[in-house]
Amino acid sequence: MNQLDETSRLAEAPPGRRRWSRRWALWVLLVALLLGMLSTLVWLAGRYESSQVQSRLEQDVMQTATDIRGALNRNVQSFQALQASSPSPEAWRFSAIELLREHREIVRLEWRDLTLATPSFAETPYRTSVFERLGRENTQSDVSFACAAAQRFSGPAYSTSYFLPQADGLGLEVLDMCLPVSTAGRLSGYLVATYSLPDMLSELAGPKLSRGQGLAFTEADGTRLAMYGNPARGNRAYVAQHLLDLPGNTMVLRLERQVGTPALFPNLLTALVAAMSIALVAVLALLARDMRRRLKVEHDLADALAFRKAMEDSLVTGMRARDLQGRVTYVNPAFCQMVGMEAGELLKHSMPPPYWPPEQVEEYQQRQSRRLAVGATLPREGFESVFMRRDGSRFPVLIIEAPLINAVGKQTGWMSAILDVSEQRRVEELSRASQDRLQATARLATVGEMASLLSHELNQPLAAISSYATGSLNLLQSAAAGDPLPPDNEDLQLAMRRIAEQAERAGKVIKSVHDFVRRRDQVRESIAPRLLLDAVMPLVSLQARKLGVRVLIRVDESCDPVLCDRTMVEQVLLNLARNGMQAMQGLDRRDEKVLTLRVRPAASNAHSRWVEFAVIDNGQGIPEEVARQLFTPFFTTKPEGMGLGLSLCRTVIEQHGGFLGFEAVQPQGTIFTFTLPVALASALQQQAVAAIAT
Ligand code: ADP
């Protein structure tokens, strides 16, 4: 891949990756800069340290040269003192030996006359004679040069150094000093002192030399003449040189100092700077680690946020957060869609929010302040309300609210889940309508059945009326024929009364059916159980008489009134009674057919909140396979049956909050029971439900 390809590839890289590589480049740059700066700092500190050592060394060597020069001058004075009293050669020698004993750096003292002959000399007691091998006469030229110079200077003069091989195989570098001696203002001879260079170093400068230092005399070209102390080895050494300028001779004094090991951090300053640099690098490393963790957390957080957003967007439930003043602080897309408004619009809006129907604002505001007063004890099941869309249409919602608690556990507002329940309401309405239609159909079916009973029942009073009417007519005809009527028309009156009675009875029969069919008001009322039984009794008795069934009624008078839709409950009773009587049709003629209608409190104590109604027959009972489908709509075993009775009965009872069930009765028969709420208790319960809903 060539350069161009690489560039274009980078340019096309996704922004996240570009950001990532830029961040890395910055880090690398920072680390490089820091490392560069730190190493420069360490290097500079090292340099500073070296220069300090170097300058100290230079001062030392300068001081040493001064010391040596001073010592040599003092020696010259001692030599002059030696010659001052014009001693005899013997006496001179004696004093010279004394002097040599005190000055180890001098190996020989000579008294020379003007021809440079030696009337007397003395040698150091610390060594064997240094001229033993070479012979003093071989160095005569050096002496004469020095003395010629001394004569010229009229003061001490030094010869160049020369090497004297020694008896032990080694050698010694020495130099001569010639001091002109005058007697009575005239030059009378010379004093020649031979200095050993190594001893000069050790005696004149050695005591002040510190450990680890080496002192040497060298020539100008660097040739080492004498050495004292540890010579520096390798290239890690500090070196300082200074010229030792003596009359007639110039030597180089060289001071060397070995660098201590390890020499990475030569002093405290460098060590301090290095330690700080290491600390800085460590801090940088920690910072980098922290940064990496932070990046990871940031990344995880971004993931979590993306996940949360996807979740919120996929929700069909509206979500809304409000602060403690009731202002909207958050809405999800589902909520926006529900009310048909933009999120920004909802968030910016002040109180009241735009989705509150104007006519309800006051009520909602009261509700909100009530809820704020209640605090966190909100019902979990939520409450119903009505919201308004942008187009002004209203729709019912179910709102479930929970307190919004922040990270430090303080409540900052409310979070609500909002469900649009308009579709649910529509379905409920549809199912209620179809239930109503079914019930009406069932009632008509019952009425159809009743019609045949009615004709049978009406036959009797009509026949009675007819016969009383015929009898009355006969009486009137015989009266017309001349037969006198009884004086008070007793028979006629009786017949007429009977006619009226029978007509009334027939009327009642018809009215009971009429009432049953026509009455259809949905209201729930408080009604005594006995009244419910009384209402269905005429119709039950009608059928009972036809089918030869004896009806027993047992009502526990301690029962409280029940709260119910009486028409519906009457129909339930009628259905159950009719089913019971029909079930007894298959019985033997000799068996007595008894239908018992029983009412008592549902629980054993008289203050139960429920009343139990039971319809008991001693019929054929319910086989297992029939029992399984008993409440299935349109299930019937009868040729003329509709199979709707029991399923409707159960719906009705459950709508009242009660329970409908059945059991077999021993030795034969079935008991159907259902419960209804006591009026007082259910009234309280309704109040409670209403209170929670607000
Ligand atoms: P229908 O009376 O029109 O058949 P129901 O729903 O009232 O419809 O009754 C369904 C079936 O349940 C009846 O066909 C009958 O077989 C059975 N059944 C109902 N009540 C009794 C009872 N008391 N004893 C025996 N069988 C019963």
Side-chain angles (χ1 to χ4, degrees), residues 561-634:
V562 290
L563 187 79
C564 64
D565 179 342
R566 69 179 290 181
T567 320
M568 303 299 286
V569 174
E570 281 168 14
Q571 192 175 345
V572 170
L573 277 171
L574 207 59
N575 259 328
L576 295 179
R578 189 200 59 188
N579 277 350
M581 287 188 283
Q582 285 174 348
M584 290 188 281
Q585 287 319 292
L587 291 188
D588 207 306
R589 281 192 171 279
R590 282 164 306 178
D591 290 331
E592 195 189 11
K593 301 170 188 166
V594 184
L595 182 79
T596 312
L597 301 179
R598 187 185 73 196
V599 182
R600 64 181 188 188
S604 50
N605 65 345
H607 303 295
S608 165
R609 287 173 49 214
W610 297 92
V611 173
E612 181 197 82
F613 291 75
V615 179
I616 309 161
D617 66 69
N618 57 349
Q620 70 221 4
I622 303 177
E624 183 60 27
E625 67 276 11
V626 175
R628 270 203 299 275
Q629 322 178 54
L630 208 57
F631 295 106
T632 315
F634 305 110

Side-chain angles (χ1 to χ4, degrees), residues 92 258 273 309 654:
W92 183 92
Q258 193 76 35
V273 169
K309 178 144 181 22
E654 283 173 357

Side-chain angles (χ1 to χ4, degrees), residues 379-503:
R380 276 305 292 162
E381 61 270 26
F383 57 91
E384 289 199 12
S385 186
V386 174
F387 279 179
M388 185 175 77
R389 297 194 183 91
R390 184 195 285 282
D391 60 8
S393 58
R394 289 16 177 198
F395 63 103
V397 288
L398 178 70
I399 306 175
I400 299 156
E401 290 213 302
L404 201 62
I405 310 288
N406 71 3
V408 291
K410 190 168 170 287
Q411 182 177 355
T412 55
W414 300 93
M415 175 56 91
S416 328
I418 292 141
L419 286 171
D420 182 349
V421 289
S422 35
E423 184 60 16
Q424 192 182 331
R425 288 282 169 282
R426 201 178 63 81
V427 171
E428 273 173 16
E429 187 56 38
L430 268 180
S431 98
R432 203 180 55 72
S434 66
Q435 278 279 351
D436 280 359
R437 268 201 303 281
L438 265 180
Q439 280 174 14
T441 314
R443 196 174 4 260
L444 284 179
T446 315
V447 170
E449 207 175 305
M450 292 296 162
S452 66
L453 292 174
L454 209 57
S455 62
H456 174 256
E457 187 62 16
L458 286 179
N459 264 345
Q460 257 187 348
L462 288 179
I465 289 170
S466 159
S467 59
Y468 283 125
T470 312
S472 304
L473 275 178
N474 287 343
L475 275 176
L476 288 175
Q477 276 173 0
S478 57
D483 271 1
L485 282 171
D488 50 358
N489 286 338
E490 204 178 304
D491 290 346
L492 204 55
Q493 276 188 21
L494 184 74
M496 286 304 168
R497 231 181 284 125
R498 289 278 182 269
I499 288 172
E501 274 173 21
Q502 291 302 322

Side-chain angles (χ1 to χ4, degrees), residues 50-66:
S50 311
S51 71
Q52 288 280 310
V53 174
Q54 183 68 36
S55 69
R56 222 175 302 134
L57 206 65
E58 267 159 17
Q59 277 195 346
D60 280 358
V61 76
M62 208 159 69
Q63 192 65 48
T64 310
T66 314

Side-chain angles (χ1 to χ4, degrees), residues 578-579 583 617 621-622 630 635-638 641-643 645-646 672:
R578 189 200 59 188
N579 277 350
D617 66 69
I622 303 177
L630 208 57
F635 170 77
T636 179
T637 56
K638 301 166 197 165
M642 282 191 68
L646 283 178
F672 274 85

Side-chain angles (χ1 to χ4, degrees), residues 99-165:
L99 192 66
L100 285 171
R101 194 165 282 139
E102 283 166 28
H103 294 274
R104 288 171 184 249
E105 69 273 16
I106 311 170
V107 290
R108 184 180 165 104
L109 278 175
E110 291 168 344
W111 178 6
R112 302 224 176 189
D113 58 19
L114 287 174
T115 59
L116 293 182
T118 312
S120 183
F121 75 93
E123 294 214 313
T124 181
Y126 302 112
R127 305 176 171 266
T128 51
S129 175
V130 291
F131 293 100
E132 199 177 20
R133 278 198 65 186
L134 195 64
R136 183 55 173 152
E137 59 281 6
N138 285 332
T139 60
Q140 197 61 31
S141 59
D142 292 289
V143 176
S144 41
F145 273 130
C147 287
Q151 196 178 354
R152 253 197 333 276
F153 299 153
S154 301
Y158 295 81
S159 71
T160 50
S161 64
Y162 51 91
F163 186 73
L164 289 180

